[in-house]
């Protein structure tokens, strides 16, 4: 196979054509994130794969902050903190606005022994003190979020307030605006660093247990492996639990009907306030919102991923479903006791099936370690992507309001069309104009830039990024590419041979949740399109998000283009008992809205049953 | 020994040991007592066979002729087999045995509410189904036998199987005196199977004990056993009872009773059913649950024949110990490597795709 793939290559990244109308797109991105003639010799020899798992669409200039964050944040841990012996970092490039990443090898193979010793000592320290370090982590993360919450942006005043003079501070609104922005960016990088502090090791421990289980029990499902280690206090289930509680309280207080009948959240909240028992319910609702409705409808990596707080239709939809269940006399409680009993039973039964005492000793240790790291692996998402990042994007919007107030931008959302470093310049432009009472350049410069960039992004969104570019690797050795992105030799080979298989109306992926179901396809590439999903649809998406929960109660099955082996989304979709196939590569491209499809979650196959409506 | 009855019912509290009922029926009696859904029936015991041999004065002849056989001489084997088979088929049943068989059949037919009850007449050798020697497929089963005369006739056919060429040659290599150990012949109500097959409480290919693997075909299960139809295959996680994989075959033909010829024939599967799974997922899980219970009850991996009727009820037709993997040392994962979890995690980072070697 390796000689075979050696001859074949993906498209040369330098030969990727810019879609018509998007010429000039490069100016949206930082110079270091672009392919260049100067680095061409090394760049075209590398293997680049499309990171659609985290960034399925062209990246807004501001949103590169997230990818740039891990460009340093993840890689420094691999190469300089843990010193994972054979690995280099994962490089990034923006190609037609999409993120391509390239796993690296450590440039000094002779240092492996030295690095192994450092790695073993440092990683050992974290594993041995995991609970305590995680406790500290929660304190750090929560404090970081509180400081983010305190950051405020306001338009510059006509005249500096009296207090700025009487307080003798010597610092004025221009300084505060600039430094608040600085704090905002630093705050993101701070949380970004915490994000990866324990992640590599946590996933590594979990995946080692998973691999052991797969070797001992070939074919064991990911879900079962997860059930052996998962606790019940998973924060990602908490928002849904809060909705269940609110549904129960609505029924208890005689508010079930009004919740069911009122679609618009604002109208609904007002109506509830006017009813007896409404005040108690609203108080409970407000309490649940912070922090549990800081729950992103996407992965949290882009500003378009909005939280429940920003679009209350999602939690209210779910609430209506729960109210109906309560009215039918069904239980809406998660069977926590059963989950714990099952975890114990399953673990014990598998343990008994092992062949030797040595195997049982290794199994016991690995289960214990996986259970130790799992709270972090499961819960960090809530702190980082949901709570922090959702709030972060909203703070950026507040800054957008400042630019709107000063005529730099027409809409607060336009700020995401600027790279974060351009915002520093724009703020200085604003400060100069305010201080000198001369015309700043921003109001005549940025709206045109924004319009052009929107046009580019629209054109780029119509382009289908190939799964990989450049030369296929001889072997994938970078551990995170394997563990987090699921890139293996098989993936690479599959991509090299891809296209052929999808011609016949059959897409193959990973069997993520069992069952076979047919239904009309509903292609969803943005959270906004979730509202179009109807009962019985088969959800076709780039990647599923756990907070799509309300939609999961409607769809008959889920299909995603991408799917990492550790997707929390998979756990949630299995909770809903839906057949799911992930990692089909081309589902959102090949399948059109309304086509009948069959999802075979047992075998990881999606069949397009009628080609009509396709193109 | 003389107290052993000629007929023993599967659900009767008596001596149902393999010495009396043969391996297959002894196991089925045990399964019946444990409450598993085994089709009702009775065994015509080894004592009945002895009485038949005695009644016809065949004992010495059978013993001497088989003992003198040169097993390497295939012509001689076949000639002897034909001669002894004819002797058995020509010999009459002792009258009291004939009456007992007819009486038991009539009772079973009355129990099932069908005077012409179709039954399976099945050989149950004393030395078959022992852990270590499956004797698989060496003795005969006759399906859809109806009426007392036909049953009596097929009982003798089963007995003559003790002297089939393959048994005559198989036996000496195993150093067992099969004929003198005798044979029970079981009679059971036929299950009108919509689908049937075989399941193992381990993966018969890899020996993985965390799986139940089920093979199933339309109609009677004979096709799965004999291999003349390609079955659907289902793999179920034994711990969680998740259906892990369904490999569906295009099932062209099936074994079913043909009223015209009065026999079981191989016939075409209706075109619209060929590519359908012959089991619903819920039935697959029910079968796996059953397999797990049977394995737990019997304390070792099992090979189970089963059938599903038109009402989707599952019936246990045969259980026997799995004989291949049960006798091998199980494969270990650690293979002498460190069992320290942190060491294994570090090794994973060193070589993310390469197992646990750094």
């Amino acid at each position: 196979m390796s000689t075979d793939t050696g001859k074949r290559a993906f498209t040369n990244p330098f030969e990727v054509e810019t879609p018509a109308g998007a010429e000039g797109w490069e100016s949206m991105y930082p110079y270091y994130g672009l392919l260049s003639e100067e680095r061409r010799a090394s760049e075209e020899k590398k293997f680049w794969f499309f990171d659609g798992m985290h960034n399925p669409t062209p990246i807004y200039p501001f949103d590169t902050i997230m990818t740039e964050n891990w460009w340093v944040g993840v890689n420094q841990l691999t190469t300089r903190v843990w010193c994972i012996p054979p690995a280099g970092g994962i490089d990034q490039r923006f190609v037609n606005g999409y993120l391509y990443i390239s796993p690296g090898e450590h440039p000094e193979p002779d240092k492996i022994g030295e690095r192994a010793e450092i790695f073993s000592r440092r990683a050992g320290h974290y594993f041995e003190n995991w609970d305590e370090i995680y406790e500290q982590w929660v304190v750090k993360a929560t404090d970081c979020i509180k400081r983010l919450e305190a950051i405020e942006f306001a338009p510059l005043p006509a005249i500096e307030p009296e207090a700025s003079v009487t307080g003798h501070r010597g610092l004025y609104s221009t300084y505060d605006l600039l430094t608040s922005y600085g704090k905002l960016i630093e705050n993101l990088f701070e949380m970004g660093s915490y994000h990866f502090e324990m992640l590599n090791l946590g996933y590594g421990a979990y995946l080692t247990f998973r691999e052991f289980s797969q070797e001992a029990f070939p074919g064991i499902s990911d879900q079962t492996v997860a059930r052996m280690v998962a606790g019940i206090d998973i924060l990602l289930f908490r928002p849904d639990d809060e909705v269940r509680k609110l549904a129960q309280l609505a029924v208890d207080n005689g508010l079930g009907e009004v919740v069911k009948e009122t679609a618009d959240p604002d109208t609904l909240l007002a109506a509830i306030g006017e009813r007896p028992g409404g005040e108690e319910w609203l108080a409970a609702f407000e309490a649940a919102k912070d922090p549990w409705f800081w729950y992103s409808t996407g992965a949290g990596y882009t500003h378009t991923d909005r939280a429940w707080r920003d679009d209350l239709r999602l939690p209210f939809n779910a609430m209506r479903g729960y109210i109906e269940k309560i009215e039918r006399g069904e239980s809406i409680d998660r069977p926590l006791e059963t989950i714990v009993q099952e975890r114990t039973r399953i673990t014990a039964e598998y343990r008994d099936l092992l062949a030797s005492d040595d195997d049982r000793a290794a199994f016991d240790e690995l289960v214990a370690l996986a259970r130790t790291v799992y709270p972090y692996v499961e819960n960090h998402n809530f702190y980082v992507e949901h709570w922090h990042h959702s709030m972060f994007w909203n703070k950026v919007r507040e800054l957008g309001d400042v630019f709107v107030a000063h005529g730099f931008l027409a809409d607060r959302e336009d700020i995401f069309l600027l790279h974060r470093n351009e915002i520093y310049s724009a703020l200085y432009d604003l400060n100069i104009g305010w201080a000198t009472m001369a015309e700043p350049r921003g109001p005549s410069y940025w709206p045109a830039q924004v319009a052009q960039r929107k046009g580019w992004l629209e054109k780029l969104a119509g382009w289908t990024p190939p799964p990989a570019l450049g030369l296929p690797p001889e072997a994938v050795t970078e551990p995170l590419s394997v563990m987090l992105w699921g890139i293996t030799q098989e993936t690479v080979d599959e991509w090299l041979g891809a296209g052929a298989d999808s011609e016949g109306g059959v897409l193959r992926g990973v069997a993520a949740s069992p069952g076979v179901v047919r239904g009309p396809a509903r292609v969803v590439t943005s959270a906004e399109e979730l509202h179009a999903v109807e009962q019985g649809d088969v959800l076709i998406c780039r990647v599923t998000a756990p907070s799509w929960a309300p939609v999961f109660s409607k769809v008959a099955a889920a299909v995603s283009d991408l799917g990492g082996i550790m997707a929390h989304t998979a756990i949630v979709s299995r909770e809903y008992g839906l057949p799911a196939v992930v990692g089909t590569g081309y589902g959102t491209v090949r399948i059109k809205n309304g086509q009948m499809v069959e999802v075979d979650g047992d075998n990881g196959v999606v069949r397009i049953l009628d080609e009509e409506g396709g193109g | 020994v003389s107290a052993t009855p000629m007929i023993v019912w599967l659900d009767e509290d008596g001596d149902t040991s393999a010495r009396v009922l043969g391996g297959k029926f002894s196991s089925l009696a045990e399964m019946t007592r444990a409450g598993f859904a085994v089709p009702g029936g009775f065994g015509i015991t080894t004592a009945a066979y002895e009485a038949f041999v005695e009644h016809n004065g065949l004992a010495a002849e059978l013993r001497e002729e088989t003992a003198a056989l040169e097993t390497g001489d295939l012509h001689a084997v076949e000639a002897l087999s034909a001669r002894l088979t004819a002797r058995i088929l020509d010999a009459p049943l002792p009258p009291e045995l004939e009456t007992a068989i007819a009486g038991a059949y009539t009772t079973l037919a009355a129990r099932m509410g069908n005077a012409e009850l179709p039954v399976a007449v099945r050989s149950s050798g004393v030395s078959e189904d022992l852990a270590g020697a499956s004797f698989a497929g060496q003795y005969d089963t006759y399906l859809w036998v109806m009426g007392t005369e036909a049953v009596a006739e097929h009982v003798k056919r089963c007995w003559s199987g003790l002297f089939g060429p393959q048994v005559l040659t198989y036996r000496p290599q195993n150093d067992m005196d099969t004929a003198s150990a005798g044979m029970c012949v079981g009679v059971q109500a036929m299950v009108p199977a919509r689908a049937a097959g075989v399941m193992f409480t381990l993966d018969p290919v890899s020996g993985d004990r965390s799986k139940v693997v089920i093979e199933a075909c339309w109609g009677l299960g004979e096709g799965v056993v004999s291999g003349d139809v390609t079955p659907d295959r289902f793999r179920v996680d034994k711990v969680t009872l998740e259906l892990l994989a369904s490999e569906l075959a295009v099932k062209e033909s099936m074994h079913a009773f043909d009223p015209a010829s009065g026999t079981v024939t191989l016939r075409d599967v209706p075109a619209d059913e060929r590519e359908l799974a012959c089991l619903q997922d819920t039935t697959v899980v029910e079968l796996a649950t059953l397999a797990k219970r049977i394995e737990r009850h019997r304390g070792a991996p099992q090979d189970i024949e089963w059938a599903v009727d038109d009402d989707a009820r599952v019936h246990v037709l045969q259980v026997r110990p799995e004989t291949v993997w049960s006798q091998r040392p199980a494969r270990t994962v650690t293979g002498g490597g460190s069992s320290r979890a942190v060491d294994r995690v570090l090794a994973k980072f060193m070589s993310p795709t390469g197992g646990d070697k750094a």
Side-chain angles (χ1 to χ4, degrees):
Chain A
M1 189 53 91
S2 61
T3 50
D4 185 29
T5 53
K7 285 180 209 154
R8 299 160 77 185
F10 299 106
T11 305
N12 184 318
F14 284 84
E15 288 166 12
V16 170
E17 285 180 23
T18 295
E23 296 84 0
W25 64 268
E26 292 90 343
S27 67
M28 293 189 289
Y29 301 99
Y31 73 93
Y32 45 84
L34 297 168
L35 296 164
S36 66
E37 286 302 323
E38 298 85 341
R39 288 194 286 186
R40 178 169 183 153
S42 67
E43 286 171 335
E44 68 185 358
K45 272 195 216 119
K46 287 189 183 180
F47 165 64
W48 300 96
F49 66 89
F50 170 45
D51 178 28
M53 187 198 294
H54 303 106
N55 297 282
T57 51
I59 302 176
Y60 276 69
F62 186 82
D63 293 11
T64 66
I65 193 168
M66 291 299 177
T67 78
E68 291 188 60
N69 171 62
W70 74 249
W71 201 352
V72 173
V74 169
N75 289 324
Q76 66 189 0
L77 280 152
T78 303
T79 60
R80 312 270 181 183
V81 180
W82 304 131
C83 303
I84 294 171
I90 302 173
D91 215 349
Q92 301 188 0
R93 292 293 182 273
F94 301 101
V95 179
N96 277 346
Y98 293 85
L99 183 65
Y100 279 77
I101 61 180
S102 180
E105 279 174 39
H106 195 269
E108 296 166 296
D110 56 320
K111 295 265 170 72
I112 281 187
E114 194 184 313
R115 293 166 61 81
E117 194 243 316
I118 298 172
F119 175 52
S120 177
R121 187 176 64 241
R122 294 183 175 184
H125 173 80
Y126 259 65
F127 283 133
E128 280 152 28
N129 299 287
W130 192 273
D131 287 343
E132 191 190 337
I133 297 171
Y134 176 49
E135 240 172 74
Q136 294 165 353
W137 188 94
V138 170
V139 172
K140 286 183 299 193
T142 310
D143 180 60
C144 184
I145 292 166
K146 292 297 164 197
R147 279 182 281 117
L148 172 66
E149 200 165 22
I151 295 172
E152 285 178 353
F153 295 105
L156 297 174
I159 297 178
E160 194 67 20
E162 203 69 15
S164 299
V165 177
T166 57
H168 314 155
R169 196 166 152 246
L171 299 170
Y172 307 103
S173 300
T174 50
Y175 176 84
D176 289 340
L177 181 59
L178 209 56
T179 52
S180 292
Y181 180 64
K183 280 186 208 159
L184 178 70
I185 299 304
E186 283 162 19
N187 186 276
L188 184 278
F189 287 134
E190 180 186 344
M191 185 54 111
S193 197
Y194 298 150
H195 188 173
F196 303 112
E197 180 188 357
M198 305 174 83
L199 191 71
N200 307 13
L201 298 184
Y203 276 179
Y206 177 74
L207 293 170
T208 306
F209 170 63
R210 176 179 176 270
E211 194 175 87
F212 182 94
S213 302
Q214 288 173 335
E215 205 178 325
F217 317 112
I220 188 171
S221 69
D222 284 348
Q223 180 192 10
T224 301
V225 176
R227 279 165 71 190
M228 283 195 269
V229 298
I232 50 169
D233 46 355
I234 299 172
L235 292 188
L236 286 179
F237 290 147
R238 186 69 186 272
D240 200 43
D241 285 345
E242 293 294 326
V243 170
R244 290 172 207 243
K245 279 192 253 170
L246 287 168
Q248 185 65 57
L249 187 61
V251 172
D252 293 345
N253 288 11
L255 301 165
E257 282 310 305
V258 68
V259 175
K260 281 199 296 178
E261 284 164 11
T262 321
D264 176 61
D266 289 338
T267 318
L268 172 58
L269 290 172
I272 289 175
E274 289 164 8
R275 298 190 184 221
E279 207 168 306
E280 185 198 359
W281 191 93
L282 286 179
F285 178 75
E286 285 305 316
K289 262 170 70 181
D290 201 11
W292 305 113
F293 282 21
W294 285 112
Y295 190 45
S296 179
T297 54
Y301 284 103
T302 62
H303 78 272
T304 51
D305 297 333
R306 303 306 301 272
W308 277 7
R309 291 177 67 105
D310 304 316
D311 184 354
L312 291 171
R313 286 177 298 174
L314 286 161
F316 276 123
N317 274 342
M319 208 179 296
R320 278 187 269 277
Y322 290 131
I323 288 173
E324 280 162 17
K325 277 196 172 177
I326 294 168
E327 288 172 347
R328 286 196 299 268
E330 294 170 30
S331 167
I332 59 164
D333 297 330
R334 281 202 296 131
L336 301 184
E337 215 167 289
T338 319
I339 291 171
V340 175
Q341 284 167 358
E342 275 294 280
R343 169 172 125 158
T344 307
R345 177 189 72 82
I346 290 172
T347 310
E349 281 195 30
Y350 277 116
R351 188 183 187 280
D352 285 348
L353 288 166
L354 288 166
S356 70
D357 288 343
D358 280 352
D359 281 6
R360 277 182 283 275
F363 180 83
D364 290 345
E365 279 220 19
L366 285 170
V367 171
L369 186 61
R371 285 181 182 173
T372 302
V373 301
Y374 213 65
Y376 170 79
V377 169
E378 274 295 326
N379 291 341
H380 82 274
N381 277 86
F382 185 77
Y383 290 100
V384 180
E385 284 99 325
H386 294 276
W387 192 1
H388 180 277
H389 290 0
S390 298
M391 190 185 285
F392 172 76
W393 297 121
N394 282 357
K395 287 289 173 192
V396 178
R397 287 184 173 90
E398 285 177 30
L399 180 59
D401 290 337
V402 171
F403 281 119
V404 171
H406 289 283
F408 277 52
L409 298 173
D411 188 299
R412 68 192 317 219
E413 297 290 318
D414 291 347
I415 193 170
F416 298 111
L417 277 303
L418 276 67
H419 187 265
R420 70 173 187 285
N421 293 337
E422 293 177 319
I423 291 174
Y424 270 117
S425 294
L427 283 173
Y428 218 79
D429 183 11
L430 174 61
N431 283 350
I432 292 168
W434 183 80
T436 58
M437 299 190 100
E439 182 188 1
R441 190 176 172 201
S444 56
Y445 179 81
W446 285 113
Q449 284 288 329
V450 165
Q452 183 171 51
R453 292 175 180 194
K454 282 182 178 172
W456 287 337
L457 287 175
E458 203 174 298
K459 297 289 179 210
L460 296 174
W463 181 73
T464 299
L469 298 170
L471 293 183
E474 280 178 27
V476 182
T477 55
E478 198 286 311
L480 294 180
S481 311
V482 178
M483 293 195 281
L484 302 190
W485 279 272
I487 305 297
T488 61
Q489 202 56 49
E490 291 78 54
T491 325
V492 173
D493 292 340
E494 213 167 279
W495 284 341
L496 281 167
D501 202 24
S502 67
E503 294 297 321
V506 175
L507 289 131
R508 283 174 203 287
V510 178
S513 183
V516 182
V517 155
R518 290 178 178 199
R522 170 61 57 182
V523 183
V524 174
T525 53
S526 71
E528 188 51 35
E529 290 168 351
L530 285 173
H531 299 295
V533 174
E534 291 181 15
Q535 197 72 36
D537 281 354
V538 172
L539 178 68
I540 314 287
C541 56
R542 297 284 310 164
V543 60
T544 56
S547 50
W548 291 12
V551 164
F552 277 64
S553 62
K554 281 186 179 178
V555 299
V559 177
S560 70
D561 292 0
L562 301 142
I565 47 180
M566 283 295 296
H568 302 83
T569 60
I571 298 169
V572 175
S573 74
R574 288 183 197 113
E575 261 233 325
Y576 282 79
L578 300 173
V581 177
V582 301
T584 61
Y586 299 89
T588 56
V589 178
R590 280 282 291 123
I591 301 170
K592 307 294 174 199
N593 268 332
Q595 281 182 327
M596 279 301 290
V597 293
E598 181 182 87
V599 180
D600 179 349
D602 301 325
N603 298 303
V605 176
V606 181
R607 293 181 192 83
I608 301 172
L609 301 175
D610 69 83
E611 285 290 342
E612 276 167 44
Chain B
V1 175
S2 59
T4 304
M6 302 241 189
I7 304 287
V8 172
W9 288 83
L10 285 175
D11 55 1
E12 159 176 330
D13 286 329
D15 183 357
T16 56
S17 66
R19 192 185 55 80
V20 175
L21 284 183
K24 184 184 293 176
F25 257 59
S26 173
S27 297
L28 286 177
E30 178 210 333
M31 298 301 293
T32 303
R33 271 199 304 273
F36 291 96
V38 177
F42 55 88
I44 297 156
T45 65
T46 49
Y49 172 70
E50 280 163 30
F52 166 76
V53 171
E54 193 83 4
H55 179 74
N56 291 289
L58 291 170
E61 180 185 349
L62 296 175
R63 192 169 52 244
E64 282 157 22
E65 292 235 31
T66 52
L69 179 68
E70 279 287 338
T71 55
D73 183 348
L74 270 183
H75 287 294
V77 170
E78 282 173 12
L80 176 65
S81 175
R83 198 160 65 241
L84 297 181
T85 299
R87 292 283 282 133
I88 287 171
L89 294 181
D90 291 345
L93 292 175
E96 67 277 16
L97 179 56
E98 195 166 1
T99 310
I101 293 174
Y105 174 80
T106 309
T107 304
L108 180 62
R111 243 195 233 183
M112 304 295 293
N114 177 0
E116 286 291 291
L117 180 74
V119 292
V121 181
R122 315 171 71 190
S123 311
S124 178
V126 170
S127 34
E128 76 177 306
D129 289 1
L130 301 172
S134 77
F135 272 78
Q138 303 211 358
Y139 294 135
D140 294 315
T141 287
Y142 299 94
L143 300 178
W144 232 280
V145 177
M146 289 184 277
T148 51
E149 275 178 35
V151 168
E153 178 62 25
H154 285 92
V155 169
K156 286 199 289 182
R157 287 200 197 168
C158 285
W159 285 338
S160 73
L162 283 170
F163 306 97
Q166 71 274 39
V167 181
L168 288 176
T169 48
Y170 188 85
R171 171 182 52 85
Q173 289 163 8
N174 279 268
D175 203 26
M176 296 177 190
D177 188 352
T178 317
S180 60
M183 176 186 270
C184 162
V185 177
V187 175
Q188 274 179 296
M190 276 303 301
V191 174
R194 172 160 174 76
V198 179
M199 58 186 172
F200 282 78
T201 63
L202 49 67
D203 183 330
V205 178
S206 67
D208 173 11
R209 294 191 183 193
S210 69
K211 307 292 180 298
V212 173
V213 178
I214 301 170
E215 287 196 330
C217 62
W218 290 119
L220 300 168
E222 313 315 300
V224 173
V225 180
S226 67
D228 65 358
V229 303
T230 305
D232 292 337
R233 184 177 302 113
F234 305 91
R235 290 161 59 82
V236 181
D237 187 303
K238 201 198 288 174
V239 175
T240 63
L241 299 169
E242 286 165 279
L243 176 54
L244 297 174
S246 311
E247 297 166 48
L248 302 188
V250 179
K251 298 167 289 295
E252 308 275 359
S253 47
M254 64 190 277
H255 292 265
F257 178 67
D258 172 31
S261 64
T263 58
V264 169
T265 59
L266 190 63
R267 69 158 187 246
D268 287 349
V269 172
D272 59 346
E273 289 188 357
R274 286 178 192 174
E275 295 183 32
L276 290 184
C278 63
L279 295 177
Q280 303 273 344
D281 287 358
T282 49
T283 311
V284 172
V285 172
E286 195 185 334
L287 280 167
T289 310
L290 175 68
K292 190 173 167 177
R293 276 176 56 216
I294 292 175
E295 179 182 58
R296 198 167 280 180
H297 176 72
R298 305 210 357 131
Q302 299 291 309
D303 161 355
I304 301 155
E305 288 180 29
W306 51 270
V308 176
D309 65 23
D310 281 331
D311 299 322
R313 277 187 307 235
V314 173
H315 304 264
V316 178
L317 304 185
Q318 183 166 331
V319 295
R320 60 183 164 217
E322 191 276 343
T323 53
V324 177
W325 294 98
S326 308
Q327 294 173 13
R328 294 188 193 174
R331 194 180 51 90
T332 67
V333 180
T334 45
S338 169
S339 72
R340 215 178 134 245
V342 172
D343 289 344
R344 298 184 72 89
V345 176
L346 301 188
K348 165 93 179 154
F349 276 102
M350 294 286 282
S351 175
T353 55
D356 46 20
K357 284 193 200 71

